[in-house]
Amino acid sequence: MSRWRVGVDSGGTFTDICLFEENEGRVEVWKVSSTPDDPSRGIAQGVEEGMRRVAPEAGDQPASPVSYFGHGTTVATNALIQHKGVPTGLITTDGFRDLLEIGRQKRPDLYDIFADKPPTLVERSLRLEVTERLRHTGEVETALDEEAVRAAARKLRAAGVSAIAISFLYSFIRPEHERRAKEIVQQEYPEAFICTSHEIAPEFREFERLSTAVVNAYLGPVMKRYIDRLAPRLAGLGMSVTPHLTQSNGGVIGFETAADKPVRTVLSGPSTGVVGAQAIGRAAGLPDLITFDMGGTSTDVALLKGGEARLASEAIVHGHPIKAPMLDIHTVGAGGGSIAYVDNGGLLKVGPRSAGADPGPVCYGKGNVEPAVTDANIVLQTLNPRYLLGGRMPVRHDLAKDAIGKLAEQLGLGLMETAQGIISVVTANMAKAIRVISVQRGHDPRDYTLMAFGGAGPLHAARLAKELDIKRILVPRNPGILCAMGLLLTDLRADFAATRLLPLDSAVLGEIDAAFATLGEQADAWFAREEIAADDRRLLRTVDMRYAGQNYELAIPLPDGPITSRTLDLLAQGFADAHQRMYGFLADNEPVQLVTFRLEATGLVSKATLAAHPSAGADASGAIRESRDVWFTESGDFVTCPVYAREDLKSGNRFSGPAIVEQMDATTVVLPGMTARVDPYLNLILEVA
């Protein structure tokens, strides 16, 4: 029996399944509607349907041939966005209960009267203080009042919270107080999900550490409930392998770790798309990429320079600071389900509100009457006006036309102009997101290839590239399920950190060595839990460094080997180079500090491979399925376009726009004046003629 590696990306609108056969290297894809009320149901359905198609001989246990299962999810993200976490309590150092609400005095939107402040995840009455105090050196100034902790736990239990975060001042240096407090809370309230700050973010900056612990507690029971539902569903399909879930840093972890540290999964879905883009870009010889992942609810963009995405040690996710390694991905509320409307000023706006999977856009015929981006594409006929998903999902062109028509009456425009206006507005929103990760950081988007994926990415890529003056677009072979495929191209990964504020001086060599030794022990324990063989273990060391008095650090790689005076020279030179590159100057006479020591542990796993195909010649006429009238604003009218079947396009094929390329998981628009070619890896390369 064939063995299959399965990647699943569960989004807000669709659940994508990628299946890779290990012996022949065959890739199969499947797509089903998501089930927002219980995402595990849609995942199990998608896996069952997909496996029955490729391995019907498995019988009543369709997942029995599965040798690896990787999963990306938006459960934690959506719970945080929609504020659907659990009632959470906080136990903190006396005098610091309001830190969660005060935050930092960095107020870039101080005079913005329209700025939205995210709600505090723990209401004030559930933020309880206990007597204890550590100095910044780790010395105990005031011992922990254990009875106060016990009383706080009882009060929170009586209040009905489901999760409790514990965060004490300077616990990242000396965690004994937090450990003892956790023991007491477990005795008093064993049913609660408990998170201590030193376990989830053992780094300095008390507000960010506190916020991370609170977010983790807020999401903990949500993620555990989700995993508790999904695991038996997969087992019921005959799956015997250990499932894995994507982290925000692009690696994967086991379900047990994900349930304990859900804060590490807030960018679970988008991160694997970037991982997939890295692999495909390298194979195609195009390492400098701007990834454009447009789904049903949101668009995620990232910049890859030399094939590498920037990894941030902290980020603000939907208004909440989180100290956890994550790929530098920027998200906007622009997707196929984004709703178009006329605001109070009479202007056309699109998103961030989305129709989601249920009821979905108007054309789904499930009762929605507000037009979405997908409805505009149905009216323009860039999308097939009869069906989606290769014929499995019928759509109502008439309903979409009526909904857009009502919006056109409000705007005083024609039907087609309004539909095109919706596309233009959402394109501008996405172009703004790309400028954030490129122009605002010193990168010219014209120097990059736009890689379009997600169910709606290839549909809008040509317009977006035109807006940004990008000359080349890469559409992978299976763009609609690239996030799922990315799960089959990544390794297991965990990150460990410890803050030790030290001068860059030979006197601290022993302390540096001790810090990395402790992190190494934590990594070894993780490798053992994940059952990673010794030959498949990889470690990468970095040190966050700064000039004394700076507020921000730069991550400097630390080569393998013993810690010696040569190590300090390498760190000093690395810091000087990074500071010059980032800020354009050096402060030669200022002392340099070592702030946070980091260890990235990677467990290598067998991955899907990308195979090259021999050229079949330039003639692509054999892939033409039909022709369709499509509205192009360039001509101001419908233009008859050939519709190519993506599965019939071969390596070396070439054709010119205007044209449409259809496949089960996505539709690609080739504008007039563009050429398209298929590379050896069956990627579709669009270029300005």
Side-chain angles (χ1 to χ4, degrees):
M1 184 183 293
S2 298
R3 302 295 290 170
W4 293 85
R5 299 175 63 80
V6 178
V8 179
D9 178 48
S10 176
T13 306
F14 288 105
T15 294
D16 305 326
I17 317 293
C18 181
L19 306 113
F20 176 80
E21 201 280 318
E22 293 180 341
N23 296 325
E24 300 177 5
R26 182 159 54 103
V27 175
E28 299 285 347
V29 299
W30 195 243
K31 210 174 182 78
V32 297
S33 292
S34 294
T35 50
D37 60 312
D38 180 5
S40 67
R41 184 160 46 87
I43 293 169
Q45 176 193 343
V47 172
E48 181 177 16
E49 291 181 5
M51 288 304 300
R52 288 197 185 282
R53 289 177 65 247
V54 300
E57 69 277 9
D60 293 337
Q61 292 195 317
S64 57
V66 173
S67 61
Y68 173 86
F69 179 84
H71 168 38
T73 180
T74 56
V75 167
T77 314
N78 292 341
L80 190 59
I81 293 173
Q82 300 171 27
H83 310 297
K84 291 185 177 179
V86 301
T88 304
L90 170 65
I91 299 175
T92 189
T93 304
D94 189 22
F96 285 83
R97 67 185 282 191
D98 292 323
L99 178 61
L100 188 64
E101 202 158 357
I102 294 170
R104 294 203 172 274
Q105 291 304 311
K106 183 180 179 182
R107 300 283 191 267
D109 52 6
L110 181 62
Y111 298 105
D112 183 358
I113 62 175
F114 298 106
D116 292 325
K117 184 178 180 181
T120 306
L121 299 182
V122 183
E123 60 182 72
R124 195 168 191 270
S125 63
L126 299 178
R127 303 198 297 261
L128 307 182
E129 301 172 346
V130 298
T131 300
E132 72 85 38
R133 191 61 180 263
L134 297 175
R135 294 183 182 273
H136 68 282
T137 58
E139 179 186 354
V140 178
E141 180 176 302
T142 305
L144 175 66
D145 185 342
E146 296 190 2
E147 286 306 312
V149 176
R150 201 172 297 279
R154 291 171 179 169
K155 183 175 180 180
L156 291 174
R157 181 172 190 170
V161 303
S162 301
I164 298 173
I166 301 172
S167 182
F168 294 153
L169 205 62
Y170 297 115
S171 62
F172 63 90
I173 297 176
R174 187 169 179 172
E176 285 91 338
H177 283 185
E178 283 193 357
R179 287 177 182 156
R180 180 55 185 151
K182 182 177 181 179
E183 291 174 358
I184 294 171
V185 175
Q186 285 174 329
Q187 293 168 7
E188 296 292 334
Y189 194 1
E191 303 87 11
F193 180 93
I194 304 168
C195 173
T196 59
S197 71
H198 78 272
E199 291 177 303
I200 198 67
E203 303 178 38
F204 85 141
R205 293 201 171 98
E206 65 276 12
F207 168 55
E208 287 79 4
R209 181 163 46 87
L210 169 64
S211 174
T212 306
V214 166
V215 171
N216 195 71
Y218 182 74
L219 299 176
V222 176
M223 180 61 75
K224 185 177 186 305
R225 184 165 57 245
Y226 168 68
I227 288 174
D228 287 346
R229 288 177 176 175
L230 178 59
R233 288 187 188 274
L234 296 176
L237 296 176
M239 190 179 298
S240 58
V241 296
T242 301
H244 292 94
L245 197 143
T246 323
Q247 297 183 91
S248 303
N249 63 8
V252 289
I253 51 177
F255 272 18
E256 183 179 343
T257 305
D260 189 48
K261 297 178 179 178
V263 73
R264 295 189 176 182
T265 70
V266 291
L267 293 180
S268 171
S271 66
T272 47
V274 175
V275 171
Q278 284 178 313
I280 291 172
R282 288 194 192 107
L286 299 170
D288 293 339
L289 300 170
I290 291 175
T291 66
F292 167 50
D293 176 8
M294 184 177 181
T297 306
S298 62
T299 292
D300 306 296
V301 297
L303 185 140
L304 280 64
K305 179 71 174 176
E308 297 296 330
R310 179 174 174 265
L311 187 68
S313 60
E314 65 178 77
I316 296 177
V317 182
H318 305 293
H320 303 283
I322 292 177
K323 265 193 163 304
M326 56 186 69
L327 295 178
D328 189 11
I329 298 171
H330 186 64
T331 303
V332 292
S338 295
I339 291 173
Y341 63 98
V342 178
D343 69 4
N344 293 334
L347 300 177
L348 177 64
K349 296 292 181 68
V350 181
R353 194 161 55 90
S354 174
D358 190 8
V362 175
C363 62
Y364 284 13
K366 294 183 179 180
N368 178 34
V369 295
E370 297 180 282
V373 173
T374 296
D375 296 308
N377 280 300
I378 291 290
V379 170
L380 295 170
Q381 299 195 161
T382 46
L383 273 178
N384 193 308
R386 305 187 306 277
Y387 56 77
L388 301 176
L389 300 185
R392 289 166 45 217
M393 178 183 282
V395 292
R396 295 283 302 274
H397 179 269
D398 57 329
L399 295 181
K401 191 173 179 180
D402 290 344
I404 299 288
K406 292 176 182 176
L407 195 65
E409 291 177 8
Q410 289 181 264
L411 294 166
L413 296 174
L415 174 69
M416 306 312 296
E417 289 79 6
T418 301
Q420 183 59 52
I422 293 172
I423 303 303
S424 298
V425 170
V426 79
T427 300
N429 293 342
M430 296 182 293
K432 181 179 178 182
I434 287 178
R435 291 188 181 102
V436 168
I437 57 134
S438 58
V439 176
Q440 292 186 18
R441 297 177 186 174
H443 300 276
D444 189 338
R446 294 174 295 183
D447 297 334
Y448 291 78
T449 298
L450 184 70
M451 179 180 279
F453 54 96
L459 187 65
H460 295 264
R463 296 276 180 215
L464 181 59
K466 189 175 181 180
E467 177 86 7
L468 295 165
D469 203 21
I470 294 175
K471 304 300 183 186
R472 183 188 295 118
I473 301 166
L474 188 156
V475 181
R477 174 64 185 86
N478 299 110
I481 54 85
L482 187 64
C483 288
M485 187 173 183
L487 283 153
L488 307 182
L489 298 169
T490 189
D491 292 307
L492 294 173
R493 182 169 161 182
D495 295 89
F496 306 92
T499 293
R500 300 286 187 272
L501 196 59
L502 303 172
L504 185 64
D505 188 275
S506 59
V508 301
L509 287 175
E511 293 184 68
I512 298 173
D513 194 40
F516 277 114
T518 300
L519 296 179
E521 291 172 0
Q522 296 173 16
D524 287 341
W526 176 78
F527 281 134
R529 286 197 304 273
E530 297 292 343
E531 300 178 349
I532 303 298
D535 292 343
D536 294 329
R537 300 178 180 186
R538 301 289 185 273
L539 295 172
L540 179 64
R541 303 184 296 186
T542 59
V543 183
D544 290 356
M545 300 174 62
R546 68 180 185 183
Y547 286 120
Q550 277 186 311
N551 280 332
Y552 298 97
E553 299 79 45
L554 297 172
I556 309 303
L558 178 64
D560 294 332
I563 305 297
T564 65
S565 56
R566 171 64 176 161
T567 304
L568 299 184
D569 294 338
L570 293 172
L571 287 174
Q573 186 59 52
F575 175 72
D577 293 343
H579 200 279
Q580 180 70 48
R581 185 169 58 250
M582 178 66 72
Y583 300 113
F585 75 96
L586 297 176
D588 294 322
N589 297 321
E590 291 294 326
V592 177
Q593 292 178 327
L594 311 174
V595 179
T596 300
F597 301 91
R598 302 186 186 277
L599 188 64
E600 176 188 300
T602 301
L604 303 183
V605 298
S606 59
K607 293 180 281 293
T609 55
L610 302 173
H613 296 257
S615 176
D619 184 15
S621 60
I624 297 176
R625 174 184 296 165
E626 60 181 5
S627 61
R628 183 163 77 230
D629 291 341
V630 179
W631 175 277
F632 285 104
T633 188
E634 289 82 359
S635 60
D637 203 348
F638 282 99
V639 176
T640 301
C641 297
V643 178
Y644 292 84
R646 181 70 187 268
E647 59 270 23
D648 293 334
L649 288 172
K650 310 298 183 185
S651 173
N653 284 180
R654 294 175 178 267
F655 57 94
S656 300
I660 301 294
V661 181
E662 285 188 351
Q663 58 194 107
M664 188 276 292
D665 55 315
T667 297
T668 303
V669 174
V670 185
L671 291 177
M674 278 187 162
T675 61
R677 60 182 173 86
V678 183
D679 79 354
Y681 295 92
L682 303 185
N683 301 308
L684 192 60
I685 310 295
L686 311 184
E687 296 175 301
V688 176

